[in-house]
Structures are given as C-alpha cells and as structure tokens.
Amino acid sequence: MNSQNTQNKFLGALNEKQAEAVTLKNQSALVLAGAGSGKTLVLTSRVSWLIQNQIVSPGGILAVTFTNKAAKEMLVRISSQLPINTRGMWVGTFHGLCNRFLRKHHTDANLPETFQILDSSDQKSAIKRVMKGMNVNEEMYPSKEAQYFINSNKDKGIRSEGVKPHDEHTKKLNEVYAEYERQCQREGVADFAELLLRCIELFTNNSVIRNHYQSIFKHILVDEFQDTSSLQYQWLKLLTSKESFIFAVGDDDQSIYGFRGARVGNMKDFEKDYKIKNVVKLEQNYRSKNNILNTANAIIDNNKNRLGKNLFTDSGDGDLVRQYTALSEVDEANFIIDEIKMLHREGLRYDQFAILYRNNAQSRVIEHAIVSNNIPYRVYGGLRFFERAEIKNGLAYLRLISNKTDDNAFLRIVNFPTRGIGARSIEQLQDLAKNNDTSLWDAALEIESKNEVTKKGIPFFVNLIRHLEDEIHGLSISESIDKIVEQSGLKAHYLKDKDGLDRVSNLNELVSAAVTFLNTVEVDNPDLNLVEFLNYTSLESGELQASAGEDALQLMTIHSSKGLEFDVVFITGLEDGLCPHERSLTESDGLEEERRLMYVAVTRAKNKLYLSLAQSRMLYGQTQYNIPSRFLDEIPEGLIKRMNTVEKSTTNTWDSFSQLPTSSSINREIPIGRQVTHSKFGIGMVIGYEGGENDLRIQIKFKSHGVKLLAMEYAKIEPI
DNA sequence: CCCGAGGACCTTTTT
DNA sequence: GGTCCTCGGG
C-alpha cells in the first residue's frame, strides 16, 4: 500500500513518454532525450521504479555518467524518491567505476593495491621523462604529440604491441608508447585511459570475474550515451549478458565531444546490438519558450546525420531572439553588460545570466567589461582546485609516502621547496635507478646509506620523507596533510613568496577537502583511505561547492554549458571562423558538430536569448574581420530581431569605422568590416584595401567564394 | 638558484 | 595579446 503510493508519486510527475521509458519491462532501451526534456528525471525515476517494483535490488543496478557532478546529482535525486541507502549502489563515472573494479581485483589486473592515478599533466611529465630517458629528440617528437598518440591508441583499445607503424615517425612514437607502458607498470601508476583499458582487459581475460559482474548487474543505466567512446561502449557490452539490460539515455543532437573520442555511432550500434524494439523519444521541452526552441529546431534541422527529433513546448512564444551586430569585441561586451544591467534593474538575479563563448580566449574582454562595471561574475573552466601547483606539490608528499615507486611524485618534490638537489644530483639518481632497475626512491636510499645526513641534499630528503611517514602514522588524512604542509617546508616557502598567501590558503583548503572526504567515506582501513583520497583527488576536479549560491554572472564556453539552463543567455562571437570554428571545417563531421554546439548553446536559454557578433575582432593579437556565422542565416526571420550599432545608439554609427585601424590612408568608400553584395560572388565582408589612388583594390571575404581582391573601379559591389 | 628575456603556443574537455 | 616554458647570465 505504502509502496504503491510512493510509486504513484514519482510516476505521476512524468508525462506519457517519460512514463513509457521509465516503466519498460524486460528489455534494453534507447531513450532519445531532447534538451530540457527531463532526462535526469527519467533516469532516476527508472532506478526508483525498478527498485520499488522489486524488479531489481539496489545492488543489481549499475549507473554510469560522465562527470562526478552528474553522478552525485543522480544519487541525490534517487534518495529523494526512495527511502533507501544508496551506498550499496554502483553509481559513478566510467573512470570512477573502473577504478573501483581495479582496486577490488588489483591482483588479477596486475596492479599494486595502492596504484595511483595520473591526471593529464602527470601523464605528460611521465611521457617527457620516458622520452628523455630514450634520448628522443623533443624537436622532432613533441611530448604533446606522443601523449596524443598514446591516448588515442589506448582509446581505441590498442596496446603498443598492437600498433602497426607504417613509417619511421610512428615507429618511434610507438617505442615511446611501449616504454611508457613499462614505466607506468614499474611505478604502479595508471592514467585515465588505462583505467578503462585495464578494466576491459580484466573482464575480457578473466571469465570468472566477468561472469560474476554480469550476473550481479541486471540493469545498467547510461547517461549521455551520445558521448560514449568505442572503448566505453565495449566496456558496457562486457558487463551485460543475455539476462541483463541497458537503459541508455542520450541526445545525438547534443554530441559535442567527438574531438575527444565520443562516438555518436554508438547509438545506432546499440540499437542493433541490443535489438531495441522501439526508441523512446522525449520531445516535450520544459525549459525554453517557443521562439527559442524553434530557433534551435531550425538550426539543427540543417544537420543531415540525425536520428530525428523535434522539440516542442506549451509554454508560449516568449520574446523574439535578439541578434546584435557589434563593431568590435569591446562593443559586443559593452552591449551585453548594458543589457544585463537593464534586466538586473528589472529584478533578475545575476546568476540567471550566462555569457557563452566558443573559446576561452574570448572571455577576457567580457571580463574586463564586467569588472569595470563592478558586477560579480564567475568564470567556469580553467585551473581546477586539485590541479593547482601547490595542491599537487602537497599531495605529491602524500603520494610518495604511500607509494615509494611513484617517480613522478618523487621528482615533483625532491627539490621542492629547494634543498640543494640540483639537476646533476637528479641525473645521478636517475642513472642509478636505471642501472639497478629500481625506483628513484630506492636509488635515493642507496645514496643516503653511503652519505652523511646534512641540512641539504638527497640524504636529507630521504630522512625528511621517513620522518614525515613516522609523524603521520595513525593520523587522519587531514591531520597528515596539515603536518606535511608544515614540516616539508612548503608552507614556509609559500609564505616567503610575494603572492604565496593564496597558495597557503589553498593548502588549508586541501585540509578541509580531506575532512569532507572522510565524512563521505566509511572508515574501515585508514591506510586504504589515504590511497582512496589520493584517487579522489585525481578523479575529481575538486570544484567542490566553491562559490556556489553566489549571485554572479556565469561565464563559460559553450561546451561547459551543456546540461545547464539560465533565464537569459548570451551567445557571443557568432562569426564564421569562430563559431563554426574554422578548424572544424576541415574535419569530417566538423561542421555538423559545430552546429550541434550551436544547438546546445541555444537550448540553454529559458526566456531570453541574445546572439551577438563583432564586425572586427582582436584575437591572438590580430584583428580579424569575420562574416556573420552561417548559423545565423539558418534562423527564420519571424523568430529573431536583428539589430546593429546604428539602432543601438546614436553615437556609434557606421561613420565610426573611419576610426578603425587601416592598412593605408586612402580614400575608400566602404568601411572595413562592412558587408557587401556582389553580383556574382554573393554576400561578403570588406576586410581590407590594397593599391594606390588610381589602382585601388578592395579585399572581400565572401561567404561562398572565399577571399577575393577586386578592382574598386570595376567591382560590382553594393554595401548592405 | 633565481630572475628576466625571448620564443612558441593558442578550439572545445572530463576523467 | 597573454601565458607558459626554456635558457642563459648574474
């Protein structure tokens, strides 16, 4: 009776399609969930429904997401729907879950119990170290390329021995890959891709373990399925048997991570592989007004490669979308701030505004305008907490103490704060380690045993670490960090630094992060807790609840806006070359992915949507004159109001173009940045002039014919 | 060892 | 244009 009520409660909150998805019986399912269609609600309701109706116990559920944030949100929402302890449930990110499997079966996975996780920057320095040891020329083989080579192969499930190098260059890269694999194995560390690959190999090679998990997980749920890589899909397949089902939720129109291995094709494959009878489409949008939604629909309709979906809403037309053509990026920023100030005066909170851009470099000018108007703001992205140098340094002490073979950690701190161990001593250590085939720590031990301990040098370092290890024995993680920060000299070092106070306070925050962590973990084995904490710092970006709830403007790239919503959204830099980005045009599926990006951006808006572009834009130290984004042309006229500087104010007229920097001081009739039409080439934009008074040539970037240099005297062009 | 000059880099990003 | 890295002199 009681259970019936609870069940009705959460089923009652669903529309027909959502309920259909949630209550599917005995089958795998593909749910095409449009933007704002209640995707998370469906996912969590599905879990609750399965448990409520005793189709599966909490332990028989595996739910996978991409970010820790999404995983956490899911757990919170499930526990609000059901009075159960979610601790026993397997909910997490792909990497987090792999980590969990590998810890549990570390012996079978051929990893030490305390194996540590390398983040991308750790990985990069590890690769650099490998290349140095092999005497590989960094000029010819940049470490970045090697890193890309290694990761893209791992992401395809290919080990170095499986690579078939077709030229000398790849052959060399693959030697680096092979050596890197050996180094990681020796040091007991795993990079992100390794977690997944190692886990897949574990399941593939060990049928006992595979069968065990296949029989446990009856229902596997996957969020953001369109973002899964082929390796992740393979992982999912290994976890399912004939008796288990996958419930995949995704939106092919929001697939914007192709560049990092996401494979939208997994959706079609999944339909086939799991014999999906009917794909459930969630097309009712609960977020945006009609004009915004129709704008999004019109844009995405230009993509050929779609599963097909059309969002609708019954929330009314709302305001027209507004397009603003600015003179420059500064003008664009000022326009945005003016609009925000106006709407804020009308009572909108600052945190209900999002300013979106295609790349991070665009944020500077906007930030400048915000700062000079004294408005609070927050920029997403950038350095995360656990990626900060001082945090990584502090953690490296912990890492080394818990895993002496971690050479990365060793090198990071052996001379930090400086203690008289220069490049020479380190080289010596590395030679010794190489000859004895040991870790740097063991090499350091050998040197220590033969030398007197002084105030500096390697023997001093060895004893410092030993001392720290003794000191923190039996202490909690937070107390340990506190001790280490103090006694390693880190704190003193940063206090001396002129802008080191921030770093010291970050280190203090690390102590509180450890306290928070301990509160969320069941305390059984304190030693393993330390290892788990270290993994947590690698797997979790650590943005924490930092400045959440603060009433501030939200600045972020379009990519990081996915999944969020705001009352008012500004999409900036809508120029061809920026959005769509010029580099995307040469990639296969590039333009369509950019269009999906535009679609994601538009669908973030609830009530008001502004699209802005600049006729001239200073980017990377150069002024560009771009033509308006082709996506703007895809918006039907009835939905949008197009404005430019003339309409905005009387001080900024077309005349102000005469103040723009010019290549020469010739008398020209059409200002740079102005749009023109040509009888043959169509629409374009004036980007410059060449030649003298008698032979003036105008340079125009045309939408469909590229850049042309035309004789001013004869060119049949008309300003628009 | 520290600092400053000079050079290369610059799409998107989570784990 | 800004940042990050490297290298060389003090």
Side-chain angles (χ1 to χ4, degrees):
Chain A
M1 189 60 196
N2 190 15
S3 88
Q4 194 65 32
N5 283 339
T6 329
Q7 184 187 332
N8 287 337
K9 199 181 85 196
F10 66 75
L11 280 185
L14 305 174
N15 71 28
E16 196 184 325
K17 281 286 168 186
Q18 291 171 332
E20 180 190 339
V22 166
T23 58
L24 279 176
K25 288 192 179 104
N26 295 322
Q27 54 187 299
S28 287
L30 178 60
V31 180
L32 268 189
S37 66
K39 179 193 63 156
T40 315
L41 178 68
V42 165
L43 218 42
T44 54
S45 300
R46 171 73 174 175
V47 173
S48 303
W49 183 83
L50 287 168
I51 296 172
Q52 189 78 56
N53 290 282
Q54 303 186 348
I55 295 167
V56 67
S57 66
I61 286 176
L62 182 85
V64 206
T65 62
F66 274 86
T67 65
N68 292 299
K69 197 175 148 205
K72 238 174 261 160
E73 189 184 340
M74 207 155 145
L75 283 173
V76 168
R77 285 174 76 159
I78 292 170
S79 24
S80 80
Q81 285 174 340
L82 276 186
I84 56 158
N85 185 354
T86 49
R87 278 247 166 94
M89 293 176 62
W90 289 69
V91 178
T93 63
F94 280 100
H95 293 87
L97 293 168
C98 285
N99 179 44
R100 202 162 152 188
F101 285 124
L102 292 174
R103 295 281 156 203
K104 224 165 167 162
H105 306 284
H106 66 270
T107 321
D108 295 291
N110 191 21
L111 283 168
E113 186 171 19
T114 60
F115 80 85
Q116 317 233 315
I117 299 166
L118 302 184
D119 70 16
S120 329
S121 64
D122 296 332
Q123 183 190 36
K124 194 167 186 186
S125 42
I127 292 171
K128 273 190 176 168
R129 205 144 44 79
V130 168
M131 294 173 72
K132 218 172 214 158
M134 294 170 65
N135 279 321
V136 179
N137 184 352
E138 269 251 27
E139 304 263 280
M140 280 170 72
Y141 301 91
S143 56
K144 203 182 157 191
E145 190 194 357
Q147 186 174 26
Y148 177 79
F149 179 85
I150 291 171
N151 286 337
S152 59
N153 274 303
K154 282 195 182 188
D155 284 340
K156 280 181 265 174
I158 304 171
R159 293 277 179 202
S160 60
E161 63 208 35
V163 175
K164 308 245 178 325
H166 42 272
D167 55 39
E168 280 306 303
H169 194 79
T170 0
K171 198 172 156 228
K172 194 58 155 188
L173 285 174
N174 199 43
E175 284 168 25
V176 173
Y177 182 12
E179 186 52 36
Y180 170 73
E181 281 180 314
R182 280 193 286 275
Q183 177 177 288
C184 289
Q185 186 63 37
R186 191 168 58 234
E187 296 176 4
V189 294
D191 59 47
F192 288 135
E194 184 71 27
L195 292 175
L196 215 66
L197 185 50
R198 195 63 79 107
C199 201
I200 284 178
E201 288 170 349
L202 172 71
F203 291 150
T204 309
N205 302 333
N206 193 319
S207 59
V208 176
I209 292 177
R210 185 180 66 239
N211 292 337
H212 171 71
Y213 286 111
Q214 283 186 355
S215 68
I216 285 184
F217 301 125
K218 298 289 181 225
H219 287 269
I220 295 178
L221 297 94
V222 193
D223 190 16
E224 307 272 17
F225 190 73
Q226 78 282 354
D227 286 336
T228 50
S229 65
S230 31
L231 211 53
Q232 285 160 339
Y233 183 42
Q234 202 185 328
W235 184 85
L236 288 168
K237 282 205 244 179
L238 279 166
L239 278 168
T240 44
S241 68
K242 289 197 172 63
E243 282 87 43
S244 53
F245 306 108
I246 292 185
F247 187 85
V249 180
D251 181 0
D252 54 319
D253 290 334
Q254 290 189 72
S255 159
I256 54 173
Y257 286 110
F259 67 93
R260 67 172 201 217
R263 201 180 154 271
V264 211
N266 285 347
M267 297 183 89
K268 278 185 181 155
D269 288 357
F270 175 68
E271 258 189 274
K272 240 186 1 237
D273 296 344
Y274 286 82
K275 305 188 175 60
I276 303 300
K277 279 175 257 166
N278 50 338
V279 176
V280 183
K281 288 186 189 175
L282 306 180
E283 296 173 298
Q284 177 160 12
N285 173 291
Y286 295 96
R287 180 183 294 151
S288 313
K289 299 283 189 206
N290 235 325
N291 285 336
I292 294 171
L293 209 52
N294 287 334
T295 297
N297 284 337
I299 291 169
I300 200 67
D301 196 44
N302 291 283
N303 270 4
K304 300 276 165 289
N305 230 336
R306 297 180 65 204
L307 296 177
K309 204 167 23 53
N310 221 20
L311 298 187
F312 67 94
T313 177
D314 55 16
S315 69
D317 285 347
D319 295 346
L320 288 181
V321 174
R322 301 229 253 166
Q323 173 181 324
Y324 176 69
T325 305
L327 295 174
S328 65
E329 77 280 5
V330 177
D331 182 25
E332 181 187 38
N334 289 331
F335 166 78
I336 292 170
I337 303 308
D338 286 348
E339 291 290 316
I340 290 177
K341 286 207 297 210
M342 191 184 77
L343 293 167
H344 183 254
R345 261 181 259 125
E346 290 172 13
L348 262 180
R349 285 171 57 93
Y350 282 131
D351 61 6
Q352 275 313 309
F353 295 93
I355 305 175
L356 309 182
Y357 34 81
R358 177 65 236 269
N359 69 32
N360 289 303
Q362 288 169 255
S363 76
R364 186 179 320 284
V365 182
I366 303 170
E367 283 184 66
H368 181 79
I370 296 175
V371 170
S372 35
N373 279 280
N374 262 321
I375 297 173
Y377 72 103
R378 176 174 176 208
V379 186
Y380 283 75
L383 249 209
R384 301 178 195 311
F385 182 73
F386 290 124
E387 284 169 0
R388 289 168 185 278
E390 62 273 23
I391 301 301
K392 297 208 86 165
N393 287 334
L395 289 173
Y397 280 92
L398 266 184
R399 278 181 171 234
L400 183 62
I401 290 169
S402 88
N403 176 9
K404 297 292 193 316
T405 58
D406 190 336
D407 286 358
N408 251 351
F410 183 99
L411 285 171
R412 197 171 180 103
I413 51 165
V414 63
N415 196 36
F416 193 91
T418 47
R419 44 182 78 91
I421 302 171
R424 253 177 307 118
S425 335
I426 291 174
E427 237 165 78
Q428 250 178 350
L429 271 178
Q430 283 175 320
D431 285 346
L432 192 58
K434 198 169 183 181
N435 290 337
N436 300 350
D437 193 27
T438 62
S439 64
L440 291 172
W441 172 255
D442 284 336
L445 281 184
E446 196 176 320
I447 289 185
E448 190 258 351
S449 66
K450 291 178 193 156
N451 287 281
E452 223 175 295
V453 180
T454 59
K455 287 255 178 208
K456 306 161 89 160
I458 287 165
F460 175 78
F461 177 70
V462 168
N463 280 287
L464 172 69
I465 296 296
R466 281 195 187 127
H467 171 72
L468 288 175
E469 194 170 2
D470 271 2
E471 282 277 304
I472 68 170
H473 187 75
L475 295 186
S476 73
I477 301 171
S478 49
E479 289 165 329
S480 306
I481 296 172
D482 208 35
K483 269 243 144 56
I484 284 173
V485 168
E486 199 74 49
Q487 304 204 358
S488 64
L490 269 183
K491 193 171 187 173
H493 175 265
Y494 285 129
L495 283 176
K496 265 193 310 198
D497 212 77
K498 56 180 184 303
D499 38 29
L501 273 179
D502 276 351
R503 296 181 185 272
V504 174
S505 77
N506 279 335
L507 284 167
N508 288 335
E509 205 165 308
L510 180 63
V511 176
S512 6
V515 175
T516 317
F517 171 80
L518 281 181
N519 289 337
T520 60
V521 171
E522 280 155 291
V523 192
D524 32 9
N525 181 345
D527 285 348
L528 279 184
N529 271 348
L530 173 59
V531 176
E532 271 190 41
F533 175 70
L534 290 171
N535 287 307
Y536 165 82
T537 65
S538 312
L539 289 173
E540 186 99 12
S541 57
E543 276 201 72
L544 301 169
Q545 60 290 337
S547 64
E550 192 192 334
D551 185 21
L553 296 184
Q554 311 282 304
L555 271 67
M556 64 195 85
T557 62
I558 302 176
H559 279 92
S560 33
S561 75
K562 199 172 95 173
L564 307 176
E565 59 178 30
F566 306 91
D567 273 335
V568 186
V569 169
F570 293 86
I571 308 176
T572 69
L574 287 170
E575 297 137 44
D576 252 47
L578 244 190
C579 186
H581 198 277
E582 57 187 344
R583 285 175 69 165
S584 71
L585 302 178
T586 53
E587 292 158 17
S588 72
D589 189 48
L591 183 61
E592 296 219 339
E593 179 146 323
E594 294 290 302
R595 192 176 279 112
R596 293 193 288 267
L597 201 52
M598 182 70 188
Y599 175 79
V600 166
V602 169
T603 52
R604 297 309 99 200
K606 295 203 274 195
N607 296 315
K608 287 189 193 321
L609 176 64
Y610 289 86
L611 311 174
S612 61
L613 61 150
Q615 290 175 323
S616 84
R617 178 178 299 275
M618 171 83 106
L619 204 61
Y620 304 131
Q622 276 182 326
T623 306
Q624 306 175 348
Y625 301 92
N626 296 317
I627 55 176
S629 168
R630 61 193 78 190
F631 301 146
L632 292 170
D633 299 340
E634 297 171 358
I635 305 172
E637 286 310 324
L639 303 177
I640 190 166
K641 181 181 178 207
R642 314 208 192 234
M643 309 174 283
N644 59 33
T645 8
V646 181
E647 290 140 82
K648 197 197 84 184
S649 76
T650 47
T651 48
N652 283 332
T653 64
W654 291 113
D655 293 340
S656 41
F657 274 112
S658 54
Q659 288 152 20
L660 286 176
T662 51
S663 49
S664 59
S665 55
I666 26 168
N667 171 35
R668 78 192 62 73
E669 285 146 36
I670 308 169
I672 290 176
R674 185 77 187 263
Q675 276 197 81
V676 295
T677 52
H678 184 273
S679 51
K680 195 166 146 210
F681 300 133
I683 297 174
M685 177 179 281
V686 181
I687 60 172
Y689 284 89
E690 270 180 32
E693 272 177 48
N694 311 324
D695 182 30
L696 183 60
R697 281 160 195 272
I698 182 169
Q699 203 177 17
I700 303 175
K701 188 145 115 194
F702 287 102
K703 278 206 167 176
S704 39
H705 291 81
V707 175
K708 300 275 180 204
L709 200 59
L710 306 168
M712 198 59 194
E713 211 175 322
Y714 308 110
K716 296 196 183 79
I717 47 173
E718 282 293 327
I720 305 175

